[in-house]
Amino acid sequence: LYHAQAIHWIEDYGIVKGLGNLYHRFAYDSAFFSLQALFSLRWLLGDSTHAVNGFVAWIFVSWAVLSIKPEKNIFSNLMRILLIWYLTIDKVQDISSPNSDVFVLSLVIFIFINWIDTRDVTLQCILCLLSVFALTLKLSAALMVLLVISPAVWLVVNKKYKEVALYICLGCIILIPCLARNYILSGYLLYPYPQIDIFNVDWKMAPYMCSVDGAEIKMWGRGIQDVTQIQTPFLTWFSIWWGKAGIVGPLLILDALMLPIVLVKGVNRILVPLVAYANGLLWFVGAPLPRYGSIYLFVILICNLNHLFGERADKLLEQGANKSSASKANKLSVTRANGLVGYAGLCLALLASAYYLKGHPVDMVSQQGIYGCQVKEVNELGTTFFVPSEGSDLVGYNNFPAVPYVAIFDKIELLGDSFEDGFKLKDEYKDSLIIGNGNLHEKNIFQ
């Protein structure tokens, strides 16, 4: 819908003022898109690859497999299995796509695992910085930053004020580029939230367009594709969502019923399940499409199972580990090391093969376009744009520049003489009821 084109814009133009005016989804600011553009390998293979998800999956799965050990607690090992399952089974078909959900949700699980395994405050602070980075990948992970509560309290109580200042500065270094990109792409500090309106720039998107886009994300997550139904009562949209959610629906109810287990048991590491619950609630209230955040429900389930059975399971694991010999442990370590070296060698061989075979019609090597993209050309704003043929809103990556809707061209203009200067709405539309496809609503759907 927009991921590939947004990446292409970054590759060719960097960041463009008011790009969201050309197509509102180009205003979505994810650090993932910048990573995809930076590591597209177009200079090496002659075509842009969507390789970041594959690289992330290789790193996380390799780490999770090699770090599973009998002596670790059952909670930690189950979370590693969840990470492996998520990337090798649940999301295997998305690995070669520029899908922005895979990286952030994998990172969330990785942060939880390391939080469970450590009591070191410095490492916890680093994990909190990774949580800030997860926020820049996708706002749905925003409440991961609640993990900062534990190390922040410890640092303040122990009067480690220099460390507090250091980590605040590092967090700002991670976050400020994200906020700056929001400002340049849309004219707002956070898109699509026009309520935070502190800038007055020519390229600022219409507030109504932003609000409708946010509502569209929410309604899509609820299983309703008509944004004008934003006032749909909870029980109505929940029943629709339940019918489409599959196993995620019962899992949501189960996790909700098990919340008292976390609150009553109050065992060690209570921060992890509480943060998981907070993020799960944010996902459900915001846009409960399963691929956006259902992984939080699985994390919560593992947390609850750990509260119920974790202590007994850990004792059994400990007894089994004590019976194993040191030589067996050493042999296992050597096996893991050899496996990692072999795995790395295989990946290098695949990269060399891709370089050798570039330009050859090999589907498994060449980056493929989005299936079924039929486009036509239109001349607008002094250049040729691609737009989808009737019955589709897909344009893919190679058809550039492209937009899914032509109606927007009557409402926008260039800030200068070229794309580098940016795009803006014409003055008469800045306060109108304009929506992302370039059409106008007859009435305000929020009233």
Side-chain angles (χ1 to χ4, degrees):
L1 293 175
Y2 68 90
H3 302 71
Q5 282 286 309
I7 294 165
H8 206 148
W9 274 99
I10 299 172
E11 290 174 339
D12 285 12
Y13 293 97
I15 186 167
V16 177
K17 292 178 181 177
L19 186 61
N21 288 307
L22 179 65
Y23 179 39
H24 62 289
R25 284 175 172 160
F26 291 158
Y28 294 165
D29 174 30
S30 172
F32 179 77
F33 294 156
S34 299
L35 285 172
Q36 285 275 21
L38 181 62
F39 297 105
S40 66
L41 300 182
R42 189 161 64 178
W43 58 273
L44 176 65
L45 302 176
D47 192 11
S48 178
T49 62
H50 300 146
V52 173
N53 275 335
F55 178 74
V56 167
W58 172 62
I59 290 294
F60 281 151
V61 170
S62 300
W63 171 81
V65 169
L66 295 171
S67 63
I68 291 179
K69 298 178 181 179
E71 61 268 23
K72 291 186 180 293
N73 63 56
I74 190 68
F75 191 14
S76 175
N77 284 331
L78 283 176
M79 293 289 281
R80 283 173 168 80
I81 293 172
L82 175 64
L83 180 59
I84 296 169
W85 168 82
Y86 178 69
L87 289 171
T88 61
I89 298 176
D90 187 47
K91 292 300 179 185
V92 65
Q93 291 184 321
D94 295 329
I95 293 301
S96 63
S97 81
N99 183 317
S100 58
D101 298 300
V102 174
F103 186 5
V104 65
L105 295 178
S106 302
L107 183 60
V108 163
I109 304 173
F110 176 80
I111 293 170
F112 279 140
I113 293 171
N114 283 278
W115 193 276
I116 294 166
D117 283 346
T118 186
R119 292 180 181 271
D120 183 79
V121 175
T122 300
L123 181 54
Q124 289 180 345
C125 290
I126 294 173
L127 293 174
C128 290
L129 293 176
L130 278 179
S131 298
V132 176
F133 176 62
L135 183 157
T136 69
L137 291 171
K138 199 153 188 177
L139 282 176
S140 59
L143 294 184
M144 286 298 295
V145 298
L146 291 176
L147 289 172
V148 77
I149 295 172
S150 177
V153 170
W154 188 92
L155 290 172
V156 171
V157 169
N158 289 275
K159 300 181 179 180
K160 304 286 186 179
Y161 302 123
K162 289 183 179 179
E163 287 82 353
V164 171
L166 171 64
Y167 290 120
I168 290 176
C169 289
L170 291 174
C172 290
I173 289 173
I174 297 171
L175 185 60
I176 287 175
C178 173
L179 299 177
R181 281 181 52 83
N182 270 276
Y183 162 72
I184 296 172
L185 289 171
S186 66
Y188 296 94
L189 189 65
L190 284 176
Y191 181 86
Y193 300 102
Q195 298 86 353
I196 309 175
D197 187 2
I198 58 179
F199 304 112
N200 186 21
V201 291
D202 288 343
W203 65 86
K204 184 162 65 174
M205 297 173 64
Y208 188 74
M209 180 185 290
C210 300
S211 297
V212 170
D213 190 20
E216 194 172 51
I217 296 170
K218 181 178 295 187
M219 295 305 290
W220 185 271
R222 293 174 177 177
I224 303 174
Q225 280 70 57
D226 184 3
V227 70
T228 63
Q229 303 299 313
I230 188 63
Q231 307 292 349
T232 301
F234 169 77
L235 291 179
T236 301
W237 71 254
F238 182 78
S239 63
I240 296 173
W241 175 84
W242 181 275
K244 299 179 179 180
I247 192 176
V248 175
L251 185 58
L252 173 72
I253 301 300
L254 177 62
D255 285 343
L257 294 175
M258 295 178 78
L259 177 58
I261 296 175
V262 173
L263 300 178
V264 173
K265 290 283 286 187
V267 298
N268 199 19
R269 309 292 187 187
I270 194 172
L271 190 59
V272 169
L274 288 181
V275 171
Y277 267 106
N279 278 278
L281 180 62
L282 178 64
W283 160 76
F284 181 73
V285 173
L289 191 67
R291 73 176 177 90
Y292 289 167
S294 60
I295 200 68
Y296 293 114
L297 301 182
F298 291 94
V299 171
I300 293 169
L301 179 62
I302 292 175
C303 290
N304 286 322
L305 291 176
N306 178 67
H307 278 281
L308 289 172
F309 310 111
E311 185 175 350
R312 182 178 179 182
D314 289 340
K315 288 182 179 179
L316 293 175
L317 285 175
E318 185 178 355
Q319 292 172 3
N322 291 335
K323 294 179 181 179
S324 62
S325 64
S327 59
K328 183 178 180 181
N330 292 334
K331 184 178 179 180
L332 185 60
S333 297
V334 172
T335 302
R336 287 197 185 101
N338 290 337
L340 181 58
V341 172
Y343 197 13
L346 175 62
C347 291
L348 290 174
L350 289 174
L351 180 61
S353 300
Y355 179 78
Y356 176 76
L357 294 172
K358 69 176 183 178
H360 292 72
V362 182
D363 289 347
M364 291 183 67
V365 174
S366 303
Q367 179 68 46
Q368 300 302 297
I370 296 178
Y371 175 77
C373 292
Q374 301 295 324
V375 297
K376 58 185 179 182
E377 297 180 1
V378 296
N379 293 315
E380 300 286 352
L381 301 177
T383 191
T384 298
F385 279 86
F386 293 94
V387 296
S389 302
E390 296 296 328
S392 172
D393 58 357
L394 299 178
V395 290
Y397 172 86
N398 293 322
N399 303 312
F400 184 85
V403 294
Y405 311 108
V406 295
I408 195 64
F409 288 118
D410 294 332
K411 282 84 174 181
I412 63 173
E413 57 189 1
L414 294 174
L415 279 168
D417 299 324
S418 65
F419 287 168
E420 288 90 343
D421 297 318
F423 303 85
K424 70 173 184 176
L425 280 173
K426 294 179 179 178
D427 290 341
E428 59 266 34
Y429 295 107
K430 289 184 177 180
D431 295 318
S432 66
L433 300 181
I434 187 172
I435 58 176
N437 61 11
N439 295 324
L440 300 173
H441 274 167
E442 294 183 0
K443 63 179 182 179
N444 190 327
I445 64 172
F446 303 103
Q447 294 179 351

